[in-house]
Amino acid sequence: MSTDERYCFIGEWYDSQASMTRTYQVLFYPSDNSIEMFDVKTRRTFLKRTKNEAAKLTDFFIGNTINIFSRSIKIVDFGDAFTARCIGRNQERTLAIIKPDAIRNLGDIVSTIYENGFTIARMRMIKLSQNEIMYFYGEHKAKDFFPRLVEFMISGPIVAIELVGSDAINRWRSIIGPTDSQKAKEQGSHLLRARFGTDGTRNALHGSDSATSAQREISFFFGSKYGTNTACYNDTTCCLIKPHAVAEGKAGQIINAILIAGFQISAIGTYSLDKVNAEEFLEVYKGVVHEYPKMVEELMSGACIVLEVRSQNAQAVFRDFCGPADPEIARHIRPRTLRALYGKDKVKNAVHCTDLAEDATLEVEYFFRILDN
Ligand SMILES: Nc1ncnc2c1ncn2[C@@H]1O[C@H](COP(=O)(O)OP(=O)(O)OP(=O)(O)O)[C@@H](O)[C@H]1O
């Protein structure tokens, strides 16, 4: 790799002190993982070329928020034609839907997504109304299966996922298989509709069929007010899959373990927290836990996946299931716990869970009521 190879992006950062959005040219050099930034307006160097070990080229996609030396920079565009050409073709987008019949297989499906090299740009669990489903599937209005399809799609929550990757539209459709799950079973037991679907209507998953559909469907689920999130704030607690575990592709395995243990996941969403949000969310640990500054750094280092976890006595039982905060200790005394299995150290310990019963609803509300609005 040439040491001069570099990609250019346009990034935005909201400067809360000045109450304004600043725009930067962000240059990424893959040969040594270094980043250089220029202020677009003043044309001045903002950051000299500096190594950033955590940065990966795959994190630089439009819409993603990247933590660059404690600033949450949102990538809003490619910065030059070379980058658009080289990177753009590896960043096709498609919309996947996990339909009501496959919600219980959420963990396996998320694992398959990562195993196939996709990035999850955004994900949300929602319920759509009858009218919203009829609008979404409007092209099938005259078909005889339409009433069955609508009834099925409103029968429970769904998870909409924006996927990014090379040839994402075709590759995702080939991973899920043909519309009719029975045909999928004939074609190969590895196909997701073969594994999790039942018939032509109850077929577990959706995938956009063209770039135009993908664009329309992604803005339906992520750029509009369609659908309501499914958080219920009742017998629930908060689980946050930390950015390091998401980046390492462990989210599917963690979700799977939670479901196998008998917890219900009643809401899910992806969030990129900036410094203000991360400090606010972790405020109870400030001055109490000496790792607090590092916990804030970790939380704002990339996208996290937040779950509302439901069970009887949810906060205490789920906290027990996560295990001791230090994964080293967890591996010795509670080797089956989430932190023992997926954590690295006290800060990168795979998951945050609510520590105090009285905070459970507040933490769930922080994401699904406050940040969602
Ligand atoms: N012949 C059919 N009988 C019953 N249901 C059907 C039939 N064809 C399609 N459907 C339902 O309508 C949905 C949309 O149909 P479409 O033809 O767009 O299939 P698809 O593109 O494979 O599926 P999707 O759009 O969900 O990815 C299907 O996923 C399925 O749930």
Side-chain angles (χ1 to χ4, degrees):
M1 186 184 293
S2 146
T3 51
D4 289 338
E5 183 186 340
R6 62 125 181 88
Y7 298 98
C8 179
F9 303 87
I10 302 297
E12 287 181 352
W13 171 62
Y14 182 70
D15 179 347
S16 52
Q17 289 199 326
S19 295
M20 64 180 288
T21 299
R22 300 189 187 277
T23 306
Y24 302 100
Q25 235 184 0
V26 184
L27 305 181
F28 180 68
Y29 298 82
S31 59
D32 63 353
N33 270 33
S34 59
I35 292 175
E36 191 177 16
M37 287 169 68
F38 299 93
D39 190 312
V40 168
K41 198 165 162 201
T42 62
R43 294 169 175 267
R44 290 220 177 108
T45 302
F46 177 74
L47 174 73
K48 279 198 303 195
R49 186 171 167 180
T50 311
K51 272 196 179 197
N52 183 334
E53 293 300 345
K56 295 195 305 300
L57 187 55
T58 47
D59 291 337
F60 286 82
F61 60 86
I62 294 170
N64 198 28
T65 301
I66 300 175
N67 183 276
I68 302 176
F69 301 105
S70 293
R71 283 199 165 81
S72 295
I73 310 283
K74 183 168 183 173
I75 303 299
V76 295
D77 204 351
F78 298 116
D80 59 26
F82 170 78
T83 306
R85 199 172 57 244
C86 296
I87 304 292
R89 67 167 170 244
N90 295 326
Q91 296 190 348
E92 189 172 85
R93 280 151 202 272
T94 192
L95 183 88
I97 302 175
I98 304 179
K99 298 187 182 183
D101 58 335
I103 287 294
R104 62 179 175 274
N105 308 111
L106 181 64
D108 284 329
I109 294 167
V110 169
S111 289
T112 306
I113 287 172
Y114 287 126
E115 281 157 18
N116 282 279
F118 291 104
T119 300
I120 293 179
R122 289 180 283 188
M123 165 159 72
R124 60 191 284 244
M125 183 184 278
I126 53 164
K127 241 191 124 112
L128 292 177
S129 69
Q130 181 164 340
N131 280 342
E132 287 168 338
I133 285 290
M134 288 169 75
Y135 176 64
F136 181 74
Y137 276 123
E139 61 177 304
H140 298 302
K141 210 151 89 195
K143 313 254 176 72
D144 61 343
F145 62 77
F146 188 66
R148 257 194 338 263
L149 173 62
V150 173
E151 193 190 339
F152 166 54
M153 291 298 287
I154 58 168
S155 65
I158 59 172
V159 175
I161 309 176
E162 181 185 9
L163 296 178
V164 181
S166 65
D167 194 24
I169 295 170
N170 288 327
R171 273 199 317 121
W172 177 244
R173 278 177 79 83
S174 68
I175 289 165
I176 64 178
T179 309
D180 186 338
S181 308
Q182 289 305 323
K183 279 206 184 111
K185 287 177 208 281
E186 287 160 22
Q187 286 187 17
S189 55
H190 61 287
L191 297 170
L192 290 180
R193 278 171 168 163
R195 289 171 68 190
F196 305 124
T198 311
D199 53 34
T201 304
R202 303 175 63 82
N203 60 0
L205 293 137
H206 162 85
S208 310
D209 60 11
S210 66
T212 312
S213 306
Q215 211 172 17
R216 174 185 92 89
E217 294 171 0
I218 289 167
S219 54
F220 179 94
F221 283 103
F222 296 102
S224 70
K225 291 265 171 227
Y226 294 115
T228 47
N229 83 38
T230 49
C232 57
Y233 314 106
N234 190 0
D235 293 331
T236 60
T237 191
C238 181
C239 169
L240 182 151
I241 304 178
K242 295 193 172 184
H244 81 90
V246 174
E248 290 158 23
K250 292 177 180 165
Q253 295 165 63
I254 293 172
I255 291 170
N256 214 2
I258 293 171
L259 292 173
I260 288 171
F263 296 99
Q264 186 199 339
I265 293 175
S266 43
I268 189 163
T270 44
Y271 298 86
S272 292
L273 301 189
D274 61 17
K275 195 159 197 257
V276 173
N277 293 149
E279 285 181 340
E280 194 169 54
F281 181 69
L282 293 172
E283 189 156 18
V284 290
Y285 301 97
K286 192 174 180 178
V288 178
V289 177
H290 88 268
E291 287 88 2
Y292 170 79
K294 287 194 168 153
M295 289 162 72
V296 171
E297 272 292 308
E298 164 59 20
L299 211 53
M300 55 184 287
S301 67
C304 57
I305 297 178
V306 180
L307 316 173
E308 183 191 50
V309 173
R310 194 154 193 236
S311 79
Q312 263 193 352
N313 200 9
Q315 179 277 326
V317 180
F318 187 71
R319 182 167 182 256
D320 190 57
F321 179 66
C322 290
D326 184 340
E328 275 306 314
I329 295 173
R331 281 191 269 277
H332 278 100
I333 60 171
R334 305 281 313 286
R336 306 297 310 153
T337 56
L338 286 182
R339 283 161 173 162
L341 293 168
Y342 303 107
K344 292 167 104 171
D345 57 40
K346 259 185 110 171
V347 174
K348 295 184 193 296
N349 60 354
V351 288
H352 161 87
C353 60
T354 311
D355 271 318
L356 301 170
E358 59 267 34
D359 289 340
T361 307
L362 291 175
E363 290 197 354
V364 175
E365 282 181 338
Y366 185 75
F367 291 99
F368 296 102
R369 217 165 243 162
I370 298 174
L371 294 189
D372 270 6
N373 290 323

